[in-house]
Short mmCIF file of all heavy atoms in Angstrom, two decimals:
data_model
loop_
_atom_site.label_atom_id
_atom_site.label_comp_id
_atom_site.label_asym_id
_atom_site.label_seq_id
_atom_site.Cartn_x
_atom_site.Cartn_y
_atom_site.Cartn_z
N LEU A 282 -111.96 -6.86 103.90
CA LEU A 282 -110.78 -6.42 103.11
C LEU A 282 -111.30 -5.53 101.97
O LEU A 282 -110.50 -5.29 100.95
CB LEU A 282 -109.90 -7.59 102.67
CG LEU A 282 -109.20 -8.26 103.69
CD1 LEU A 282 -108.30 -9.40 103.17
CD2 LEU A 282 -108.26 -7.34 104.42
N VAL A 345 -103.39 -6.48 98.16
CA VAL A 345 -103.56 -6.43 99.65
C VAL A 345 -103.08 -7.63 100.23
O VAL A 345 -103.50 -8.77 99.79
CB VAL A 345 -105.13 -6.34 99.90
CG1 VAL A 345 -105.36 -6.24 101.50
CG2 VAL A 345 -105.62 -4.90 99.28
N VAL A 346 -102.18 -7.49 101.17
CA VAL A 346 -101.71 -8.65 101.84
C VAL A 346 -101.73 -8.45 103.43
O VAL A 346 -101.36 -7.28 103.91
CB VAL A 346 -100.14 -8.89 101.49
CG1 VAL A 346 -99.52 -10.07 102.38
CG2 VAL A 346 -100.13 -9.23 100.00
N THR A 347 -102.18 -9.40 104.26
CA THR A 347 -102.06 -9.20 105.67
C THR A 347 -100.95 -10.18 106.16
O THR A 347 -100.82 -11.31 105.89
CB THR A 347 -103.41 -9.75 106.30
OG1 THR A 347 -104.47 -8.93 105.80
CG2 THR A 347 -103.44 -9.70 107.79
N ARG A 348 -100.00 -9.49 106.82
CA ARG A 348 -98.79 -10.15 107.41
C ARG A 348 -99.30 -11.05 108.58
O ARG A 348 -100.33 -10.98 109.14
CB ARG A 348 -97.85 -9.17 107.91
CG ARG A 348 -97.39 -8.01 106.80
CD ARG A 348 -96.30 -7.11 107.20
NE ARG A 348 -96.16 -6.82 108.62
CZ ARG A 348 -95.25 -5.92 109.06
NH1 ARG A 348 -94.50 -5.26 108.21
NH2 ARG A 348 -95.15 -5.63 110.30
N ALA A 349 -98.33 -11.84 108.96
CA ALA A 349 -98.43 -12.77 110.05
C ALA A 349 -98.87 -12.08 111.31
O ALA A 349 -99.47 -12.65 112.25
CB ALA A 349 -97.28 -13.77 110.28
N ASP A 350 -98.36 -10.85 111.52
CA ASP A 350 -98.52 -10.14 112.77
C ASP A 350 -99.89 -9.32 112.62
O ASP A 350 -100.27 -8.56 113.55
CB ASP A 350 -97.37 -9.17 113.11
CG ASP A 350 -97.20 -8.11 112.07
OD1 ASP A 350 -97.90 -8.12 110.98
OD2 ASP A 350 -96.42 -7.24 112.21
N GLY A 351 -100.53 -9.52 111.60
CA GLY A 351 -102.00 -8.86 111.39
C GLY A 351 -101.94 -7.49 110.84
O GLY A 351 -102.93 -6.87 110.63
N VAL A 352 -100.74 -6.98 110.46
CA VAL A 352 -100.62 -5.76 109.66
C VAL A 352 -101.09 -6.01 108.22
O VAL A 352 -100.65 -6.86 107.49
CB VAL A 352 -99.16 -5.19 109.68
CG1 VAL A 352 -99.08 -4.02 108.78
CG2 VAL A 352 -98.82 -4.69 111.08
N THR A 353 -101.99 -5.21 107.80
CA THR A 353 -102.42 -5.34 106.50
C THR A 353 -101.92 -4.21 105.58
O THR A 353 -101.94 -3.08 105.91
CB THR A 353 -104.05 -5.20 106.34
OG1 THR A 353 -104.58 -6.16 107.09
CG2 THR A 353 -104.54 -5.20 104.88
N VAL A 354 -101.07 -4.64 104.42
CA VAL A 354 -100.51 -3.76 103.66
C VAL A 354 -101.32 -3.61 102.32
O VAL A 354 -101.60 -4.68 101.57
CB VAL A 354 -99.09 -4.14 103.33
CG1 VAL A 354 -98.44 -3.11 102.37
CG2 VAL A 354 -98.26 -4.33 104.72
N ILE A 355 -101.75 -2.46 101.91
CA ILE A 355 -102.37 -2.22 100.69
C ILE A 355 -101.27 -1.59 99.80
O ILE A 355 -101.01 -0.38 99.90
CB ILE A 355 -103.56 -1.26 100.84
CG1 ILE A 355 -104.52 -1.73 101.94
CG2 ILE A 355 -104.36 -1.02 99.62
CD1 ILE A 355 -105.62 -0.79 102.28
N ARG A 392 -109.21 -0.45 113.74
CA ARG A 392 -107.72 -0.58 113.48
C ARG A 392 -107.02 0.67 113.18
O ARG A 392 -107.75 1.63 112.49
CB ARG A 392 -107.45 -1.68 112.37
CG ARG A 392 -108.19 -2.89 112.67
CD ARG A 392 -108.23 -3.87 111.37
NE ARG A 392 -106.79 -4.29 111.08
CZ ARG A 392 -106.55 -4.99 110.01
NH1 ARG A 392 -107.49 -5.43 109.16
NH2 ARG A 392 -105.28 -5.42 109.71
N LEU A 463 -89.94 4.42 105.59
CA LEU A 463 -89.88 3.08 105.98
C LEU A 463 -89.31 3.01 107.51
O LEU A 463 -89.75 2.22 108.30
CB LEU A 463 -88.97 2.28 105.09
CG LEU A 463 -88.75 0.90 105.39
CD1 LEU A 463 -89.95 0.05 105.46
CD2 LEU A 463 -87.64 0.18 104.44
N LEU A 466 -92.24 3.73 109.79
CA LEU A 466 -93.12 2.65 109.92
C LEU A 466 -92.51 1.36 110.74
O LEU A 466 -93.28 0.87 111.53
CB LEU A 466 -93.56 2.16 108.47
CG LEU A 466 -94.34 3.04 107.75
CD1 LEU A 466 -94.43 2.71 106.26
CD2 LEU A 466 -95.80 3.07 108.25
N ARG A 467 -91.27 1.20 110.45
CA ARG A 467 -90.57 0.13 111.36
C ARG A 467 -90.55 0.44 112.73
O ARG A 467 -90.74 -0.44 113.55
CB ARG A 467 -89.16 -0.06 110.75
CG ARG A 467 -89.13 -0.82 109.53
CD ARG A 467 -87.60 -0.94 108.90
NE ARG A 467 -87.57 -1.81 107.81
CZ ARG A 467 -86.53 -1.92 106.90
NH1 ARG A 467 -85.55 -1.03 107.11
NH2 ARG A 467 -86.52 -2.82 105.99
N ALA A 468 -90.50 1.73 113.11
CA ALA A 468 -90.36 2.06 114.50
C ALA A 468 -91.73 2.17 115.19
O ALA A 468 -91.94 1.92 116.29
CB ALA A 468 -89.81 3.41 114.56
N GLU A 469 -92.82 2.45 114.36
CA GLU A 469 -94.13 2.75 115.03
C GLU A 469 -95.30 1.79 114.59
O GLU A 469 -96.19 1.80 115.29
CB GLU A 469 -94.51 4.11 114.73
CG GLU A 469 -93.52 5.19 115.24
CD GLU A 469 -93.95 6.58 115.17
OE1 GLU A 469 -95.26 6.83 115.11
OE2 GLU A 469 -93.21 7.44 115.32
N LEU A 470 -95.09 0.96 113.60
CA LEU A 470 -96.13 0.05 113.33
C LEU A 470 -96.37 -0.98 114.36
O LEU A 470 -95.42 -1.43 115.04
CB LEU A 470 -95.89 -0.72 111.94
CG LEU A 470 -96.38 -0.20 110.72
CD1 LEU A 470 -95.85 -1.21 109.52
CD2 LEU A 470 -97.81 0.06 110.59
N ARG A 471 -97.69 -1.35 114.62
CA ARG A 471 -97.92 -2.42 115.60
C ARG A 471 -98.93 -3.34 115.03
O ARG A 471 -99.66 -3.07 114.06
CB ARG A 471 -98.45 -1.79 116.82
CG ARG A 471 -99.67 -0.96 116.79
CD ARG A 471 -100.06 -0.25 118.19
NE ARG A 471 -101.41 0.29 118.12
CZ ARG A 471 -101.60 1.52 118.70
NH1 ARG A 471 -100.60 2.18 119.24
NH2 ARG A 471 -102.70 2.01 118.67
N PRO A 472 -98.97 -4.57 115.65
CA PRO A 472 -99.82 -5.56 114.94
C PRO A 472 -101.27 -5.07 114.86
O PRO A 472 -101.90 -4.40 115.70
CB PRO A 472 -99.80 -6.70 116.06
CG PRO A 472 -98.46 -6.55 116.64
CD PRO A 472 -98.20 -5.05 116.74
N GLY A 473 -101.92 -5.36 113.75
CA GLY A 473 -103.31 -5.10 113.43
C GLY A 473 -103.45 -3.72 112.66
O GLY A 473 -104.48 -3.42 112.17
N ASP A 474 -102.42 -3.02 112.49
CA ASP A 474 -102.43 -1.69 111.68
C ASP A 474 -102.74 -2.10 110.21
O ASP A 474 -102.44 -3.20 109.66
CB ASP A 474 -101.13 -0.89 111.78
CG ASP A 474 -101.07 -0.28 113.09
OD1 ASP A 474 -101.86 -0.41 113.99
OD2 ASP A 474 -100.02 0.39 113.36
N VAL A 475 -103.26 -1.02 109.49
CA VAL A 475 -103.51 -1.18 108.12
C VAL A 475 -102.73 0.03 107.39
O VAL A 475 -102.96 1.13 107.81
CB VAL A 475 -105.06 -0.96 107.78
CG1 VAL A 475 -105.28 -1.24 106.32
CG2 VAL A 475 -105.89 -1.85 108.65
N VAL A 476 -102.06 -0.28 106.37
CA VAL A 476 -101.16 0.62 105.72
C VAL A 476 -101.49 0.70 104.14
O VAL A 476 -101.31 -0.26 103.59
CB VAL A 476 -99.65 0.30 105.93
CG1 VAL A 476 -98.75 1.33 105.28
CG2 VAL A 476 -99.33 -0.04 107.37
N LEU A 489 -90.91 0.47 99.03
CA LEU A 489 -91.36 0.56 100.43
C LEU A 489 -92.39 -0.46 100.86
O LEU A 489 -92.20 -1.14 101.79
CB LEU A 489 -91.98 2.01 100.64
CG LEU A 489 -92.70 2.14 102.01
CD1 LEU A 489 -91.75 2.06 103.19
CD2 LEU A 489 -93.22 3.59 102.01
N ALA A 490 -93.45 -0.61 99.95
CA ALA A 490 -94.44 -1.72 100.28
C ALA A 490 -93.75 -3.09 100.33
O ALA A 490 -93.95 -3.95 101.23
CB ALA A 490 -95.44 -1.69 99.18
N GLU A 491 -92.80 -3.31 99.25
CA GLU A 491 -92.10 -4.69 99.34
C GLU A 491 -91.26 -4.95 100.65
O GLU A 491 -91.25 -5.96 101.08
CB GLU A 491 -91.22 -4.78 98.06
CG GLU A 491 -92.05 -4.96 96.78
CD GLU A 491 -91.11 -4.93 95.50
OE1 GLU A 491 -89.89 -4.69 95.75
OE2 GLU A 491 -91.69 -5.08 94.43
N ALA A 492 -90.65 -3.88 101.19
CA ALA A 492 -89.92 -3.94 102.30
C ALA A 492 -90.72 -4.18 103.56
O ALA A 492 -90.25 -4.93 104.38
CB ALA A 492 -89.06 -2.57 102.50
N LEU A 493 -91.93 -3.61 103.51
CA LEU A 493 -92.74 -3.96 104.75
C LEU A 493 -93.11 -5.33 104.75
O LEU A 493 -93.25 -6.01 105.87
CB LEU A 493 -93.99 -3.04 104.61
CG LEU A 493 -93.95 -1.60 104.83
CD1 LEU A 493 -95.26 -0.88 104.53
CD2 LEU A 493 -93.49 -1.26 106.24
N LEU A 494 -93.45 -5.88 103.58
CA LEU A 494 -93.68 -7.43 103.62
C LEU A 494 -92.45 -8.26 103.89
O LEU A 494 -92.54 -9.35 104.57
CB LEU A 494 -94.33 -7.80 102.32
CG LEU A 494 -95.56 -7.15 101.97
CD1 LEU A 494 -96.12 -7.39 100.57
CD2 LEU A 494 -96.69 -7.55 102.93
N ALA A 495 -91.38 -7.85 103.32
CA ALA A 495 -90.10 -8.56 103.54
C ALA A 495 -89.66 -8.63 105.06
O ALA A 495 -89.12 -9.65 105.51
CB ALA A 495 -89.03 -8.07 102.68
N ASP A 496 -89.83 -7.44 105.56
CA ASP A 496 -89.58 -7.26 107.05
C ASP A 496 -90.29 -8.46 107.86
O ASP A 496 -89.64 -9.07 108.62
CB ASP A 496 -90.03 -5.97 107.63
CG ASP A 496 -89.09 -4.90 107.21
OD1 ASP A 496 -87.93 -5.18 106.74
OD2 ASP A 496 -89.40 -3.68 107.59
N ASN A 497 -91.53 -8.60 107.61
CA ASN A 497 -92.31 -9.56 108.41
C ASN A 497 -91.90 -10.95 108.13
O ASN A 497 -91.89 -11.87 109.00
CB ASN A 497 -93.81 -9.40 108.10
CG ASN A 497 -94.68 -10.12 109.12
OD1 ASN A 497 -95.48 -10.96 108.69
ND2 ASN A 497 -94.65 -9.82 110.41
N ALA A 498 -91.50 -11.25 106.80
CA ALA A 498 -91.11 -12.56 106.46
C ALA A 498 -89.81 -12.93 106.99
O ALA A 498 -89.60 -13.98 107.56
CB ALA A 498 -90.99 -12.68 104.90
N ALA A 499 -88.95 -11.88 107.03
CA ALA A 499 -87.57 -12.07 107.82
C ALA A 499 -87.82 -12.45 109.33
O ALA A 499 -87.08 -13.32 109.95
CB ALA A 499 -86.67 -10.93 107.62
N ASP A 500 -88.65 -11.71 109.90
CA ASP A 500 -88.99 -11.85 111.29
C ASP A 500 -89.49 -13.32 111.59
O ASP A 500 -89.13 -13.95 112.56
CB ASP A 500 -89.96 -10.81 111.81
CG ASP A 500 -89.29 -9.37 111.87
OD1 ASP A 500 -88.10 -9.31 111.86
OD2 ASP A 500 -90.12 -8.47 112.01
N ASN A 501 -90.41 -13.67 110.64
CA ASN A 501 -90.98 -15.09 110.93
C ASN A 501 -89.92 -16.18 110.78
O ASN A 501 -89.98 -17.08 111.51
CB ASN A 501 -92.15 -15.32 109.86
CG ASN A 501 -93.32 -14.39 110.17
OD1 ASN A 501 -93.48 -13.85 111.30
ND2 ASN A 501 -94.20 -14.21 109.17
#
Side-chain angles (χ1 to χ4, degrees):
L282 290 179
V345 181
V346 176
T347 298
R348 304 187 332 186
D350 63 356
V352 170
T353 298
V354 179
I355 308 169
R392 302 168 69 183
L463 180 59
L466 291 165
R467 283 173 169 165
E469 299 192 21
L470 272 182
R471 61 185 186 222
D474 286 359
V475 189
V476 185
L489 168 59
E491 291 175 355
L493 288 176
L494 297 174
D496 281 350
N497 193 239
D500 290 344
N501 289 341

